[in-house]
Amino acid sequence: MAPLTAPESLLDPPFNVNLTTVIYAFGYNGSINDNTTLPVINAYLEYKQRSDINVVLMNWEREARIVLPLNLIGAAVQYPTTAIVNTRTVGNELGAALLRLSELGLDLDKLHLSGHSLGAHLIGYAGKVTRSSGKIISRRISHHTYNNSHPMEALVPERVVGGARDDASTFKKKGLSSRITGLDPAGPLFDGPVSLVGLQPGDARFVDVIHTNPIFLGDPDRLGDVDIRFNCDMLHQPGCPRNYIERCSHFRALLYFAESINSPRGFAAVQARACLDWRSGRNNRDGRILYWAENIDTQARGTYYLRTNRSPPFERGLNGIRP
């Protein structure tokens, strides 16, 4: 364990500052060892066997969890009063930590941040901080082991329930991470005429966002340089139960992402002006095709659409551009 005010140990071997660094943040009530994290981490560990990268987990489990009874009332109370507050606080601290690490050799041009639900807004706040000055808050770096063999660096915040910290030092540096991927960013309180500002274009050099549950738990608005709408004409993702409030569609975003990491041509999407245009076939013949993967075309812009399978493998390749 080491405070990020002296973060040299994070950059020690096997961490290599010359490689791409990926950082993943789970969402509300997520955990380092549950199905909101392991599919993505395991996919990156598989990817790491072929192309060496640094893999870092943003462990904000204590700040993101529900401490009241795990029911709709408990979630409804804690989400706005604690979880959203902690999302901004931890995100700002992560941004400050990244700036500090960049002073020590971390290359922000080789940094890919990704997050699911509230985790998407968390990394958005981190991206905002890296564009300006930041404040270093005491944090910890710990090592976790996944698949019984692969070491994993993890950034762990001190307990956050609101309020400022005293053990801080300040510095100034401007920078911007290379890519941010938002996985069905949380919608409640971030969507509407009077809403909070979370993830948005400009938080990184390239921001790509996927939408899988825009009606209920996700944000339906355009939030990235590229927005990809999966099965846009369906209320629920294929294979998910048809309940009024169901988490399956929301969590499909991280499963699609995990699958895309090792499938560079699996998720093909086509550009169209609107879901109805894609559904009717208008613009599809001449629309630009984008492969959503680790090696995504970062020059792409606009909104893209695709269809998936009901169960793994979800990808359909070029067949996915057809309604």
Side-chain angles (χ1 to χ4, degrees):
M1 304 286 285
L4 280 186
T5 48
E8 290 81 3
S9 62
L10 179 65
L11 304 184
D12 287 344
F15 196 101
N16 186 337
V17 295
N18 296 315
L19 300 177
T20 294
T21 297
V22 297
I23 299 178
Y24 173 71
F26 49 76
Y28 184 39
N29 207 37
S31 170
I32 62 173
N33 285 310
D34 68 7
N35 59 8
T36 67
T37 300
L38 291 179
V40 174
I41 295 303
N42 288 336
Y44 269 128
L45 292 177
E46 179 183 342
Y47 181 88
K48 187 177 174 68
Q49 302 303 310
R50 303 187 311 275
S51 180
D52 205 10
I53 56 174
N54 304 308
V55 184
V56 179
L57 172 64
M58 179 63 241
N59 179 8
W60 66 305
E61 184 173 322
R62 292 182 301 176
E63 294 74 31
R65 70 183 179 185
I66 298 174
V67 296
L68 296 173
L70 183 55
N71 53 38
L72 288 178
I73 295 177
V77 170
Q78 185 161 322
Y79 178 82
T81 60
T82 302
I84 285 184
V85 174
N86 288 346
T87 299
R88 181 184 290 273
T89 302
V90 175
N92 289 343
E93 294 177 2
L94 174 60
L98 292 174
L99 286 173
R100 175 60 175 167
L101 288 172
S102 72
E103 294 283 340
L104 300 172
L106 180 67
D107 189 352
L108 296 182
D109 285 333
K110 296 181 179 180
L111 179 63
H112 179 192
L113 302 171
S114 61
H116 174 245
S117 192
L118 276 183
H121 294 303
L122 185 155
I123 60 175
Y125 292 132
K128 291 173 176 57
V129 170
T130 64
R131 293 184 300 181
S132 58
S133 63
K135 179 176 287 188
I136 297 302
I137 306 297
S138 178
R139 305 171 70 81
R140 299 288 185 266
I141 302 169
S142 62
H143 294 273
H144 298 277
T145 300
Y146 294 84
N147 287 348
N148 299 320
S149 60
H150 300 282
M152 178 70 55
E153 285 80 22
L155 301 179
V156 184
E158 292 183 2
R159 186 64 184 272
V160 179
V161 190
R165 308 283 175 75
D166 295 326
D167 52 341
S169 61
T170 60
F171 67 94
K172 292 184 178 181
K173 180 180 178 180
K174 293 185 180 295
L176 204 61
S177 61
S178 177
R179 179 185 176 190
I180 282 179
T181 299
L183 307 174
D184 206 32
L189 300 185
F190 289 93
D191 170 45
V194 180
S195 57
L196 299 172
V197 175
L199 178 63
Q200 60 186 173
D203 289 342
R205 297 190 190 281
F206 178 72
V207 178
D208 57 301
V209 176
I210 73 166
H211 302 268
T212 59
N213 191 217
I215 302 299
F216 301 119
L217 299 178
D219 192 328
D221 295 335
R222 182 173 177 181
L223 302 176
D225 298 303
V226 163
D227 285 69
I228 305 175
R229 302 187 183 275
F230 284 66
N231 307 293
C232 66
D233 56 338
M234 303 177 69
L235 188 60
H236 307 284
Q237 292 296 303
C240 284
R242 298 178 179 275
N243 300 331
Y244 176 70
I245 298 180
E246 52 91 359
R247 302 168 65 198
C248 174
S249 294
H250 191 46
F251 284 95
R252 277 293 172 87
L254 65 90
L255 296 181
Y256 294 156
F257 180 59
E259 195 171 295
S260 76
I261 291 170
N262 293 291
S263 184
R265 309 283 284 185
F267 289 99
V270 64
Q271 189 173 23
R273 289 176 297 182
C275 182
L276 182 60
D277 290 334
W278 172 74
R279 184 69 180 85
S280 64
R282 291 195 295 269
N283 297 337
N284 291 2
R285 178 174 299 179
D286 300 324
R288 177 175 180 173
I289 294 175
L290 176 70
Y291 289 96
W292 184 61
E294 276 300 295
N295 60 342
I296 191 172
D297 180 4
T298 58
Q299 300 302 310
R301 296 294 184 271
T303 304
Y304 294 76
Y305 300 85
L306 77 161
R307 180 78 73 209
T308 64
N309 293 322
R310 294 174 55 86
S311 59
F314 297 109
E315 63 190 55
R316 300 181 67 183
L318 281 174
N319 288 330
I321 69 173
R322 301 186 181 94

